Amino acid sequence: MLSSKSTQSSLFIGGLDIGGTKMAAIVADRSGPLARVVEPTAKTGTEYAPAEQALRLLKDACAKAGVPFEELDTVGVSSCGPFIRQQGKIRLAAPNICGGIARRGELPNDWMSVPLEEVLRRHFVQVVIRNDCVAALTAERAFGNLQGVDDCAYVTWSTGIGFGLCVDGHLLHGKNGNAGHAGHMLMTDQSSAQCGCGNYGDVEALVSGYNLEARCDRPPAELFDAARAGDPQGRAVIAEAAKWFGRALFNVTAALDIERFVIGGAIWHHHGEWLEPMVMSELCTRLPALTNGVSLSSPGLDSLVTDIGALHLVMPEDWPNEWRARKPWQQLQES
Ligand SMILES: [Zn+2]
């Protein structure tokens, strides 16, 4: 939620969650989320395709909720990054969406970046765009497991790796809103694992779901099932990934004096309990002055953390207290 926002008079707010795999749109009023629609993220056509899809999904969500689209003038966006700015407006330069950046040659476009803010601003009075992990962090601080924790981070362990960072109660943004891209921290030059950004041996290259699949030639779900059933090769791969992930958390703790990490993303969602001791043994066996008492937890908002984060970016100031009391997102989770 932004202190500078001026949406007090809005009856409805929209949220967009833009990922490399899927895009979701959600419409809410003071009572809570009203409708949510989701589709695979558009990656063909012109570079305007993702923003046009975002508008269409917001229209669909409005239709589903029975809300006139014209009454929606405020949208919060939680998006994969990084971002770049052109004429002051945010464009997504995300390797998982823009085929011109990715080294893999597997995306059906040659985009280097996609216009997002420019298109949304043509339709909405207020648009707030944040990195998805930053949006998730704000949601967990408002409604989830980071309430009252001033030095904290939200981390996703999924197809990619990302961080949202908060120090002394202040969210970190950076010059282009890219603070927290610690998934691209370089860890080793002894690895042939390559990240979508082009780096070899960065955190994302070493541990992301995409990379585990590429290295082991089987989907992460199968790899984890085999490892958990005792398959020695699978176990070795996962232990190695957990080591790098734990080391990344240590590095972030050393840099920022973090007290608590909330970890989301599909891999942690399904296997966090099993991974936690391996990660903690890498994180908390060094420099006790920095690491004593550092804890890990899963998102209190579960799989809706980035969607609720998008809404929270533009939510009128008097809504969160009511939402905290009533937890209206739970209905959406159940449907
Ligand atoms: Zn990278």
Side-chain angles (χ1 to χ4, degrees):
M1 193 174 56
L2 292 184
S3 54
S4 62
K5 73 197 174 318
S6 54
T7 59
Q8 309 300 349
S9 61
S10 297
L11 286 173
F12 305 103
I13 59 172
L16 285 167
D17 178 20
I18 302 177
T21 308
K22 60 150 186 76
M23 188 185 300
I26 189 165
V27 175
D29 69 6
R30 187 182 195 119
S31 71
L34 300 171
R36 179 176 184 266
V37 291
V38 59
E39 273 186 2
T41 305
K43 293 178 192 166
T44 56
T46 75
E47 61 180 19
Y48 283 88
E52 283 161 3
Q53 178 185 29
L55 284 176
R56 183 171 48 74
L57 289 179
L58 282 168
K59 275 182 197 162
D60 291 351
C62 283
K64 199 173 165 187
V67 170
F69 179 63
E70 315 76 62
E71 286 189 24
L72 190 69
D73 65 6
T74 298
V75 174
V77 185
S78 153
S79 175
C80 59
F83 304 151
I84 56 171
R85 283 180 201 275
Q86 224 171 64
Q87 277 126 30
K89 300 218 168 54
I90 289 174
R91 296 171 70 98
L92 310 184
N96 293 331
I97 294 178
C98 300
I101 303 170
R103 89 290 177 188
R104 297 165 185 145
E106 66 199 16
L107 294 179
N109 68 68
D110 58 0
W111 310 331
M112 291 300 293
S113 66
V114 302
L116 182 65
E117 188 170 358
E118 174 200 335
V119 176
L120 295 179
R121 286 210 180 274
R122 278 188 225 141
H123 294 267
F124 303 106
V125 177
Q126 189 177 4
V127 177
V128 177
I129 302 171
R130 294 285 181 264
N131 175 263
D132 44 13
C133 288
V134 174
L137 177 71
T138 69
E140 285 295 307
R141 279 175 54 73
F143 307 118
N145 291 333
L146 292 173
Q147 293 181 58
V149 185
D150 279 347
D151 300 289
C152 56
Y154 180 90
V155 192
T156 186
W157 186 350
S158 188
T159 314
I161 305 291
F163 289 69
L165 304 168
C166 180
V167 179
D168 298 335
H170 300 293
L171 298 181
L172 304 188
H173 295 296
K175 63 185 185 299
N176 284 320
N178 292 324
H181 274 72
H184 304 291
M185 276 193 298
L186 291 167
M187 306 299 271
T188 173
D189 53 8
Q190 306 295 311
S191 173
S192 59
Q194 192 182 20
C195 177
C197 75
N199 279 336
Y200 287 90
D202 69 10
V203 183
E204 185 163 316
L206 293 164
V207 315
S208 70
Y210 178 89
N211 205 273
L212 293 177
E213 177 161 357
R215 242 186 313 160
C216 300
D217 208 20
R218 50 184 168 173
E222 270 178 39
L223 173 67
F224 273 91
D225 285 348
R228 293 179 75 159
D231 170 57
Q233 197 216 347
R235 251 175 200 266
V237 170
I238 301 301
E240 175 86 359
K243 179 190 82 173
W244 289 119
F245 187 78
R247 199 165 286 190
L249 298 192
F250 171 81
N251 289 347
V252 170
T253 302
L256 300 175
D257 207 6
I258 296 296
E259 179 183 349
R260 187 181 304 162
F261 291 94
V262 161
I263 306 176
I267 287 186
W268 195 265
H269 178 76
H270 293 295
H271 308 287
E273 225 166 284
W274 184 62
L275 288 164
E276 184 165 339
M278 292 186 262
V279 171
M280 284 302 272
S281 78
E282 223 17 64
L283 167 60
C284 285
T285 51
R286 303 184 159 82
L287 208 45
L290 298 181
T291 58
N292 268 352
V294 175
S295 63
L296 311 183
S297 120
S298 292
L301 290 156
D302 209 7
S303 58
L304 287 174
V305 63
T306 45
D307 301 67
I308 300 300
L311 292 173
H312 185 260
L313 294 172
V314 293
M315 193 173 279
E317 279 164 359
D318 51 345
W319 290 15
N321 271 337
E322 292 179 23
W323 283 37
R324 257 191 296 278
R326 288 189 296 102
K327 300 183 173 33
W329 55 85
Q330 286 176 342
Q331 275 169 303
L332 207 61
Q333 248 149 2
E334 281 152 18
S335 67

